[in-house]
Amino acid sequence: MSIIIFKGRLKRIKGFNLPSYQVIIYNPDKAGLLDQGKLGESRTHKKGEFQVKTDLSSDDALFTNHHFKIKMEVLLEGDLIYETQIAGEFTGKVINLGEIKLQGNHHGVTGKLVDEEGQPLKDLVVVARKVNRKENSILEKDPLKLVDKVLPRLKGEKILGKSRTSKEGYYEIYYPPSSYHTLLGEKEDIEVAVRDSLDVSDLYIGEKIQDPSCAIIKADDIQLNRQDAVGWLVTLGRSKKSRYTTKNKVEFLIDNEVALESMLREINQARNFIYLTQFEFDPELLATYSDEYPPREFLVKALSRASKRGVEVKIVLNENLLIPDNFIQIRDYFQKSGVEVREFTSKGLYVMHAKTLLIDGKTGFIIGSPFKQLYWDTTSHLIADPRREGGPVHDVSLQLEGESLTYLEEFFLQLWNHITQKEYQGQGMLKSRFSPVSTGDIPLQIARSITPDSLSKKGERGIFEAYRKAIARAQDFIYLENQYFTNKTMIKALKNALKANENLQVVVVLNENPDIPGYKQWQNGSLEKLGIKSASDNLEHPQIGFFTLGAGDNQKIQPIYVHSKVGIVDDRWATVGTANLDGSSLTYVNELEGLVDTTFHRNMELNAIIPDRDKKTGEVLKLRKALWSEHLGIEKDLLKKEDNGWLGLWQKRAKENIRSISKKKPHFKGQLLPYSFELTAQSQLKDMGVKLNDEDVLE
């Protein structure tokens, strides 16, 4: 006798596969002596089967009178899970050890996800992670408390393993036992969490598992609401759609000449009340002009006249703790009028950035820009425009009518009353003043970012939820234009979406030079994580491209500052509002993660979500065509998808502009250029391959 094969199967839980274990067969009399007693080893298949081929020429004494005796060890990633001795009878050269039940060290958890009707939830990510027992942990013992605060990675959760649910809703997670022990050998608690399909946000966190005794835990079914887990719309973790209405009218106001004209028209017609929230408000803002350029209307004067007509005018304005703002100027301007101004005081790395206007409960606005002359501009984006301070600016606002105005009023009242209770001894609390009127047929959802410990204890992350759900369901394209692009979680969501769908394309319009120190470097780092490392990459990448806007006039070239906050997915979903794609607008200041406690640093923001999943209203398509026509310089009806997708159209136009502005008489077709990692307008154009002649390049 020389070759014997041991076969068998590790018992698995019904419906679940097993990881690849290492099975080793030993001579029990020699085991532990530098592997001298090792007879053979193999790996298990996913159903637990194994076959170990052994050469027993030197150990025939183990096999006498058709009896055998062996020691078997089962290991996972080098950790011993289980060991046993087996003896028995055999005939022939194949010994069937039968089904072996794993006992010993805990190393896995399995279970199932279902919805409220018991139906399986597929394609969600389930993670097992260890959680420090802080009352016993080394991290609670001085002097490491300080280190624990400074280096968040030393505390809290660490991933043991993860699994994506099958179409039947099953998940299975395995990990070596040593992975949930501390360096001092302390056991740590284990928790199971369910995350969205992009693996960026927790949907459910289970109870902690302490001192697990069985090798593999079969957890109870986890029930989630389907709308919250895999739906398109924001639920804020609940079972119903949040702040969702179906009877509305919307008008997209592209660039601030149009937006300010619309707001002034409605202010001048106000009869009952005007509620305004703003980030900045310069009393010198000239909002509208006549055709020959002389000023026609100051916004503050229009509000003062409304107050004199008996209209109740109330304003909430952001007040920064350290950075200069306009609160005192506006308060002093209106001091002798009936206009009442109150401040939302920022006491950390957050601001009141939601810009809204509600008039008589009949019409409302979600405003893109602060009320400053710096942001006034037309769709022509002229380089030299005396009506504007600074360079060209692009922005998008939204005018609303209908049921959704309820939630503009809700936000204002919550904010006003929160300030009133904290700063004004409860004097001047407000109540709702109108019942919404159903008008139009456009469904619309109001989503918010809310600073923790303000309007609610935990705050809200509704705008982030809206983005991640739409990104997860994108099939053809994602279009984003935004002032900033630095949020780490958003970048991870886009990266995972592109990885999951090779046919998906992403087009992003953003600023070359953000106006906050450090953002350019963070933005460049974000692009690198998505595979873009140069301007040329933006022109050639098959799935994602980053672009910026420029204006050209009389041999001068100048960047157009992108201030808009727009997202569009597959012409089936859109959002317009005040939230940037940075940490403070969506989640928390994760750009500074590891340096400061960022938990409570989230802005006040407000966005409108326009769902059109069946493309019935056409509003999302209308918005995309309007923006792309302006940026690409192509008539709306002539926008056609290239053979290499919508991204191909953008890349083609950017290449054409690089060639055209390199000529003796440079000109733009539209406004489009590829994004560059360089720091100045001059170096950015060179990086794009523009051959500079005598034209002036303006910052």
Side-chain angles (χ1 to χ4, degrees):
M1 179 185 302
S2 60
I3 303 297
I4 292 288
I5 295 175
F6 291 91
K7 73 174 186 177
R9 181 165 64 88
L10 303 182
K11 186 176 181 180
R12 64 188 183 122
I13 299 171
K14 184 178 180 182
F16 299 95
N17 295 320
L18 289 171
S20 178
Y21 292 101
Q22 183 182 14
V23 178
I24 306 176
I25 303 293
Y26 291 95
N27 178 341
D29 298 325
K30 298 180 181 179
L33 299 175
L34 298 175
D35 275 354
Q36 289 183 12
K38 183 176 176 180
L39 302 175
E41 65 177 281
S42 79
R43 290 274 177 183
T44 60
H45 300 294
K46 63 182 181 179
K47 293 186 177 181
E49 296 111 339
F50 64 87
Q51 286 191 358
V52 179
K53 187 176 181 181
T54 62
D55 183 355
L56 301 179
S57 57
S58 60
D59 285 288
D60 287 343
L62 290 172
F63 297 84
T64 58
N65 298 321
H66 298 288
H67 285 76
F68 70 91
K69 182 176 66 174
I70 60 168
K71 176 184 176 182
M72 185 176 80
E73 290 183 352
V74 180
L75 296 89
L76 178 63
E77 296 183 27
D79 279 14
L80 179 65
I81 301 297
Y82 176 65
E83 62 181 350
T84 186
Q85 290 198 20
I86 304 174
E89 298 180 355
F90 73 95
T91 58
K93 295 187 176 183
V94 177
I95 299 176
N96 190 345
L97 301 177
E99 188 173 73
I100 299 169
K101 183 179 180 180
L102 282 179
Q103 300 175 27
N105 294 324
H106 168 73
H107 63 283
V109 59
T110 61
K112 185 178 183 180
L113 301 188
V114 296
D115 65 11
E116 61 272 27
E117 297 181 355
Q119 297 301 308
L121 289 167
K122 66 177 182 178
D123 202 35
L124 294 176
V125 176
V126 184
V127 299
R129 53 200 182 200
K130 59 182 177 180
V131 184
N132 296 128
R133 297 182 186 177
K134 293 189 176 180
E135 68 275 14
N136 297 321
S137 171
I138 184 176
L139 293 177
E140 280 298 299
K141 298 177 175 61
D142 290 329
L144 292 186
K145 285 184 178 179
L146 178 60
V147 177
D148 186 38
K149 280 183 172 291
V150 175
L151 299 177
R153 67 179 181 274
L154 293 181
K155 68 177 182 179
E157 66 190 50
K158 293 183 181 178
I159 301 296
L160 296 172
K162 63 177 63 177
S163 169
R164 193 172 287 274
T165 54
S166 66
K167 62 181 179 181
E168 293 84 16
Y170 291 115
Y171 66 89
E172 50 217 13
I173 306 169
Y174 303 101
Y175 36 85
S178 62
S179 63
Y180 61 94
H181 289 72
T182 68
L183 293 175
L184 298 185
E186 293 178 318
K187 282 187 176 181
E188 295 180 285
D189 296 338
I190 297 171
E191 69 180 15
V192 174
V194 181
R195 296 172 68 78
D196 67 294
S197 62
L198 295 174
D199 191 19
V200 296
S201 186
D202 285 348
L203 305 178
Y204 165 91
I205 300 176
E207 294 182 0
K208 293 179 176 60
I209 302 168
Q210 295 184 337
D211 296 323
S213 56
C214 61
I216 300 174
I217 295 173
K218 171 62 171 71
D220 294 336
D221 289 354
I222 297 172
Q223 180 177 307
L224 301 176
N225 178 267
R226 182 170 290 276
Q227 185 73 242
D228 182 43
V230 296
W232 272 84
L233 294 173
V234 175
T235 65
L236 299 177
R238 304 185 182 99
S239 59
K240 296 181 179 179
K241 294 171 281 192
S242 170
R243 300 184 177 93
Y244 176 75
T245 56
T246 58
K247 301 296 183 181
N248 300 282
K249 290 181 180 179
V250 302
E251 183 178 358
F252 302 109
L253 307 173
I254 298 177
D255 296 314
N256 284 323
E257 178 187 36
V258 174
L260 287 166
E261 283 181 355
S262 297
M263 284 183 268
L264 269 173
R265 181 174 59 250
E266 299 298 339
I267 288 170
N268 288 332
Q269 295 175 4
R271 293 293 176 264
N272 298 308
F273 67 90
I274 296 171
Y275 293 160
L276 171 68
T277 67
Q278 249 298 357
F279 175 55
E280 293 181 290
F281 191 167
D282 184 351
E284 298 298 318
L285 171 66
L286 287 165
T288 59
Y289 294 81
S290 71
D291 293 339
E292 286 76 32
Y293 282 12
R296 194 172 70 197
E297 185 73 280
F298 286 91
L299 187 57
V300 287
K301 290 185 178 180
L303 291 169
S304 294
R305 286 199 307 272
S307 178
K308 289 177 181 178
R309 294 196 306 270
V311 177
E312 184 181 286
V313 181
K314 297 190 182 299
I315 300 172
V316 173
L317 194 59
N318 179 71
E319 182 184 41
N320 298 316
L321 193 62
L322 297 175
I323 302 172
D325 55 63
N326 301 113
F327 169 68
I328 293 176
Q329 287 177 279
I330 288 293
R331 184 196 61 187
D332 291 349
Y333 180 88
F334 288 119
Q335 195 167 23
K336 295 181 180 180
S337 73
V339 177
E340 194 170 359
V341 184
R342 293 191 174 177
E343 74 280 16
F344 178 90
T345 303
S346 168
K347 296 180 180 178
L349 299 175
Y350 61 88
V351 294
M352 204 296 294
H353 196 249
K355 300 174 281 292
T356 66
L357 177 63
L358 179 64
I359 300 172
D360 292 345
K362 295 181 179 180
T363 189
F365 296 82
I366 300 174
I367 306 163
S369 291
F371 286 159
K372 299 184 72 174
Q373 209 68 40
L374 182 70
Y375 296 96
W376 194 98
D377 207 356
T378 70
T379 55
S380 299
H381 301 299
L382 303 175
I383 286 179
D385 193 328
R387 298 168 293 181
R388 184 190 66 229
E389 294 177 2
V393 178
H394 168 69
D395 212 339
V396 180
S397 298
L398 184 68
Q399 185 171 0
L400 303 172
E401 295 179 24
E403 298 169 337
S404 59
L405 297 182
T406 297
Y407 299 114
L408 291 192
E409 185 196 44
E410 176 198 32
F411 176 70
F412 184 87
L413 296 184
Q414 287 179 342
L415 194 59
W416 181 274
N417 290 338
H418 167 73
I419 295 166
T420 298
Q421 287 179 326
K422 287 191 67 176
E423 307 294 341
Y424 293 84
Q425 295 77 48
Q427 299 297 311
M429 301 283 282
L430 297 178
K431 295 182 179 180
S432 178
R433 297 196 48 168
F434 75 99
S435 297
V437 176
S438 299
T439 181
D441 59 357
I442 296 173
L444 189 141
Q445 184 171 44
I446 296 297
R448 317 190 307 185
S449 293
I450 299 296
T451 308
D453 283 337
S454 62
L455 309 188
S456 63
K457 179 66 178 176
K458 293 184 178 180
E460 292 178 22
R461 303 201 310 178
I463 301 172
F464 169 69
E465 182 184 344
Y467 269 111
R468 71 164 175 80
K469 283 184 169 181
I471 291 169
R473 281 146 195 81
Q475 296 298 314
D476 184 19
F477 75 92
I478 297 168
Y479 173 72
L480 304 170
E481 59 178 54
N482 208 279
Q483 184 179 9
Y484 307 132
F485 186 76
T486 61
N487 186 287
K488 293 180 180 179
T489 313
M490 277 290 293
I491 283 112
K492 182 179 178 181
L494 288 170
K495 185 175 182 178
N496 289 347
L498 290 168
K499 184 178 179 180
N501 179 4
E502 63 180 13
N503 295 317
L504 179 64
Q505 293 185 326
V506 177
V507 175
V508 184
V509 174
L510 72 167
N511 283 309
E512 279 286 7
N513 300 303
D515 58 358
I516 297 179
Y519 267 50
K520 176 69 174 182
Q521 288 72 24
W522 289 337
Q523 195 161 272
N524 288 349
S526 299
L527 271 62
E528 288 177 348
K529 290 177 182 177
L530 290 164
I532 301 297
K533 298 181 180 180
S534 67
S536 59
D537 286 345
N538 287 311
L539 298 174
E540 304 298 338
H541 198 286
Q543 280 194 280
I544 189 166
F546 292 84
F547 302 89
T548 189
L549 305 180
D553 182 28
N554 295 324
Q555 292 192 319
K556 289 183 173 66
I557 296 173
Q558 187 172 25
I560 297 173
Y561 193 80
V562 178
H563 195 266
S564 49
K565 300 95 170 59
V566 176
I568 299 173
V569 172
D570 292 348
D571 290 336
R572 303 172 67 196
W573 177 98
T575 184
V576 175
T578 72
N580 292 308
L581 299 183
D582 62 352
S584 57
S585 284
L586 297 182
T587 50
Y588 57 93
V589 188
N590 56 22
E591 298 91 344
L592 297 177
E593 202 165 26
L595 299 176
V596 297
D597 182 1
T598 59
T599 308
F600 295 102
H601 300 306
R602 186 185 314 134
N603 292 348
M604 296 287 194
E605 307 280 8
L606 192 141
N607 274 37
I609 313 298
I610 301 96
D612 193 10
R613 283 169 289 173
D614 299 323
K615 300 184 181 180
K616 289 182 179 179
T617 69
E619 290 298 321
V620 178
L621 177 62
K622 182 192 301 183
L623 173 63
R624 177 175 68 82
K625 284 188 171 183
L627 292 171
W628 287 21
S629 178
E630 178 181 327
H631 300 332
L632 296 170
I634 300 173
E635 293 293 329
K636 296 175 185 177
D637 294 338
L638 299 180
L639 289 165
K640 303 295 182 184
K641 193 175 185 179
E642 296 285 319
D643 292 340
N644 55 344
W646 286 117
L647 175 59
L649 175 64
W650 282 70
Q651 291 169 332
K652 178 181 177 181
R653 178 60 87 188
K655 291 176 183 177
E656 290 172 352
N657 276 341
I658 288 172
R659 290 193 295 269
S660 66
I661 62 177
S662 297
K663 296 179 180 179
K664 290 183 178 180
K665 294 184 178 180
H667 65 281
F668 276 93
K669 297 178 180 178
Q671 305 156 343
L672 199 63
L673 287 171
Y675 178 88
S676 167
F677 283 65
E678 298 297 321
L679 300 181
T680 67
Q682 188 95 5
S683 60
Q684 288 156 3
L685 288 169
K686 288 182 179 179
D687 184 47
M688 295 172 197
V690 174
K691 297 176 181 178
L692 297 171
N693 296 312
D694 296 329
E695 68 270 21
D696 293 325
V697 179
L698 306 177
E699 296 293 336

